[in-house]
Amino acid sequence: MAQDSIQNEIMYLSDGAYANFVTGFGNASMDKDEHTHVKCGVTTPNYSALAAQYVKDGIVKRIARDPAVKSLKAPIVINDDKNDETFKALSRLGFFRACRNAGTWANLFGGSIVVSIFEGDGDAKLEEPVGDNAKVVGYRVYTPGRINLTESDLGSDPESKWYGKVEKFPVQVRNGKILNIHASRCHVFHGIEAPDILDTDLNTYIFGCSLVDMANVGLKKLPPAFGSISNMLQENGLSVFGLNGFSQMLAVEGGVAKARERMNLIKLGISSMRGVVQDKEDTFDMKSHSMSDIPESVKMLMAYVSALIGRPVSTLFGNMVSGLSSTNEGDIRQENDYMEQWRQDTLYEPMVEMLTEFRTRNEGKTGIQDFTFGEVWQSTEAEKADVFEKKVNSCKSLYEMGSITPKETRKNLILKGGTSEISVDTEIPDGTQTPPTPTPPTTEE
C-alpha cells in the first residue's frame, strides 16, 4: 500500500504546473471536463463513453458520420465495370454499407476493421488464412472496442508477410467468445495517425486516434453551455416576494397557508390587470437575466469546436449564412475539400483492397482493381440551369467568331449538356480536314 501511495504521488506531482488551484488539475481538485488527473501521453479512449456520445449528441453523430455518408452519396465509378454489374453485386453484399460504417467508426473510435466473409466460413475457419478459390459472400464491421490487441498478436516469424504486423485480430463477439480472425480476411480503416512517439498503446499504433476524442475538449463544453442557457430562459422573470413579518407569519399555526394565500392574491392581481396589490410594507420585484452576451458566447464555443474538427461552423452546426448577398459558397467549398481529403485518407486504400479481393475471387479479374469516387457536391436544378445558360452564351460567341460549326454547337449543348467543357472536332469550320503540317525538306550534303 505504501508503494502504491508513493506511485500515485509521483503520478500526480510529476509536474508542479499540473497540481495547483488555478488550473484545477492534479490532486488539488478535479478538472471539470474530464474529472481525471492529467496523464502525459495518449490514453486508450473510453469506447463506451464515445458510443454514448454518438447516440445522444447530434453534433458528435454529424462529426463521425457525415464524412462517410457524403463521400459515398454519389456512386463510385469502377474501372472496366460493364453495365455496372460489379457495383450492383457489391451493393447486394453490403459493401457500401460496411464502408460507411467503418468510416464512421474510424472517426468516432479511431479506427475499425471490415472482415470479409467467404463461402463455407465458420468460427473455426475465421482463424485460418483464406483459401485461394473462396468467394466473398458478405462483410462484418468491428470497432476497436471489441478488439484487445497485445504484442502476441503481432507476427514474429521474420519470413512471414505478417512479420511486425497483426497476424490475428482478437475480436470479442456478442456471446462473449473471442474470435482470432486472421489478418488475410481483415481490412483496416484508420483514424487520425498519431505521432510515433505517442503510439505506445497498440490499438492507437494499429488503428489511429479518435477525431471525436481529440475534439472533446470543445464538444464537452457545448451541452453544459446550452443547459445553462435553457435554465436561464426558464428562470428569466423570476418573482421575488418581500412580505412584511414573513418569519413571524410562518411561526404561527396556519402561517404557511396564509403566506401562500397572500402570494396567490398578488399573482392573481398580476394576471388580471398587470398590477400588483400589496401592503405598504411588502415588496415585489421581477428578476431577469441579461441575454445580450449569450449569442456571442455560443458562437465562440461553436467556432472553437469547428477549429478542432476542421469543418466550417455553418455546415457543421447547420447555421447557414442568410442574406441577399450571402451565398455561403466559401464554407461549402471548404466543406467539400474536407470531405474529399478525408475519403482519400480514410476510405480509398481499404476500399481498393476490398474491391480487388472481390473482383479477383468472384469475377476472375487480375491485378489491382481501381475506382473513382463520385462528386461530393451535387448541383441543384437551378445551378444546372445557370451553367447551361452560360454554356449557350459561350457557344454562341464561338459560333459568331467562326471557331465552331453548328454541328459542334449541337454536340456541346445537347449531346454533352451535362458538362461545362466545350470540345471541337479536328476539322476546321468550313468542313475540310485540317491540312497536315508540311515537313521541311532536308538538305543533303
Side-chain angles (χ1 to χ4, degrees), residues 16-28:
Y18 287 153
N20 59 72
F21 293 97
V22 178
T23 63
F25 292 132
N27 60 353

Side-chain angles (χ1 to χ4, degrees), residues 61-75:
K61 186 173 183 178
R62 294 194 66 178
I63 291 171
R65 190 160 183 81
D66 272 7
V69 172
K70 292 182 179 180
S71 296
L72 297 175
K73 181 180 180 181

Side-chain angles (χ1 to χ4, degrees), residues 221-238 289-291 294-295 298 301:
K221 289 179 171 62
L222 285 175
F226 287 121
S228 299
I229 294 172
S230 176
N231 291 336
M232 290 177 65
L233 292 175
Q234 293 178 25
E235 295 175 0
N236 197 34
L238 181 67
H289 302 290
S290 175
M291 302 290 180
I294 289 180
V298 173
L301 285 176

